[in-house]
Amino acid sequence: MGVLRVARSSARKGRTQALNQMRNLISTAPEPIRAELRGLNVYHLLERASAYRPGAKRDVISLTKFTLRMLARRAITLEEEISEIDAILKPLVKETAPELVGTLGIGTDAASTLLVTAGDNPERLRSEAAFAHLCGASPLDASSGKNQRHRLNRSGDRQANSALWHIVITRMVYDPRTTEYIARRRTEGLTKKEAVRCLKRYVAREVYGLLPHEKLGLDSP
């Protein structure tokens, strides 16, 4: 999984970079191109731009279309690479940790990220608290005097931390319990970011219990 994720991460970064460059070009492109492409979603944008036929002219409009076509085709090719990797990664993740990938909000990408993090650090995962710390989801005490508070933990595996964040954000949309929790904590004075940070800690605890401990060489939860 770690090997596959290296290529997947590179492809995602390249695709994002190509799309950002396209948007920047469109924002300063001649009006005919802006009018045609402005407001299109990603897939319609790539479909339209990749079909451009700029010809052999060397005016600004033709060269802009040529560049947009090149970037669009690059983004499409990288998307195909991601799909090809996912076709291998998805059954591999399901076979390794079926309970984990079958949990609400935990898809192939997040599950594979967390499995790689756990598998690369078996000696550091003696408890769910240690796993949360490894993922940068354990709160750090920042109390002073009578003020009791915690601050963001910026250490740990940032990819695993991002995976936990995506799980929480997905559940905020599809899980009523998560929505109710966020609303309750905000009425208690927490900001949305602070409530999400708390949920990431809970998700880390849940994930630890769903990890295939024997396969990863971890102690039993």
Side-chain angles (χ1 to χ4, degrees), residues 142-153:
S143 302
S144 177
K146 296 182 179 180
N147 295 323
Q148 301 295 318
R149 58 181 295 270
H150 295 85
R151 65 176 178 84
L152 177 65
N153 185 349

Side-chain angles (χ1 to χ4, degrees), residues 1-216:
M1 291 183 203
V3 171
L4 291 171
R5 287 194 58 81
V6 170
R8 191 182 193 279
S9 176
S10 175
R12 285 188 62 181
K13 289 179 180 178
R15 181 179 182 274
T16 300
Q17 184 181 48
L19 288 171
N20 288 339
Q21 290 170 340
M22 288 182 68
R23 293 189 179 99
N24 289 336
L25 282 175
I26 293 169
S27 67
T28 58
E31 180 56 32
I33 296 178
R34 288 206 310 272
E36 182 181 4
L37 301 180
R38 187 170 44 206
L40 295 180
N41 62 36
V42 171
Y43 295 102
H44 288 156
L45 172 62
L46 293 177
E47 181 182 20
R48 186 75 59 84
S50 64
Y52 274 152
R53 294 185 177 181
K57 295 182 179 180
R58 292 296 180 263
D59 58 279
V60 175
I61 291 180
S62 297
L63 291 177
T64 301
K65 285 186 175 181
F66 172 81
T67 304
L68 288 171
R69 183 182 67 176
M70 182 177 295
L71 291 171
R73 292 181 176 179
R74 181 184 303 169
I76 291 172
T77 298
L78 291 172
E79 181 63 34
E80 292 172 350
E81 288 184 11
I82 294 171
S83 298
E84 185 178 358
I85 294 170
D86 284 347
I88 303 173
L89 198 57
K90 186 174 182 179
L92 186 59
V93 171
K94 188 174 182 180
E95 178 185 350
T96 304
E99 293 183 356
L100 178 63
V101 79
T103 304
L104 178 63
I106 305 180
T108 301
D109 187 33
S112 62
T113 300
L114 294 167
L115 286 170
V116 170
T117 297
D120 285 348
N121 301 274
E123 73 286 351
R124 296 180 58 185
L125 305 180
R126 303 305 180 189
S127 67
E128 57 87 13
F131 178 69
H133 185 72
L134 175 62
C135 296
S138 56
L140 298 179
D141 187 22
S143 302
S144 177
K146 296 182 179 180
N147 295 323
Q148 301 295 318
R149 58 181 295 270
H150 295 85
R151 65 176 178 84
L152 177 65
N153 185 349
R154 298 187 182 278
S155 63
D157 188 303
R158 303 320 298 170
Q159 291 188 5
N161 188 277
S162 177
L164 295 177
W165 182 86
H166 279 95
I167 294 169
V168 170
I169 296 303
T170 300
R171 290 183 176 182
M172 286 173 62
V173 177
Y174 297 104
D175 183 18
R177 296 178 304 168
T178 301
T179 305
E180 293 171 2
Y181 176 87
I182 293 289
R184 177 168 60 83
R185 296 309 302 266
R186 295 198 69 179
T187 60
E188 294 173 356
L190 294 185
T191 65
K192 184 178 179 179
K193 286 185 177 181
E194 290 171 335
V196 168
R197 196 152 65 235
C198 293
L199 279 172
K200 284 163 62 177
R201 176 65 180 88
Y202 295 140
V203 171
R205 178 181 300 149
E206 179 183 3
V207 167
Y208 180 79
L210 297 173
L211 291 174
H213 293 258
E214 292 183 0
K215 293 181 180 179
L216 296 174

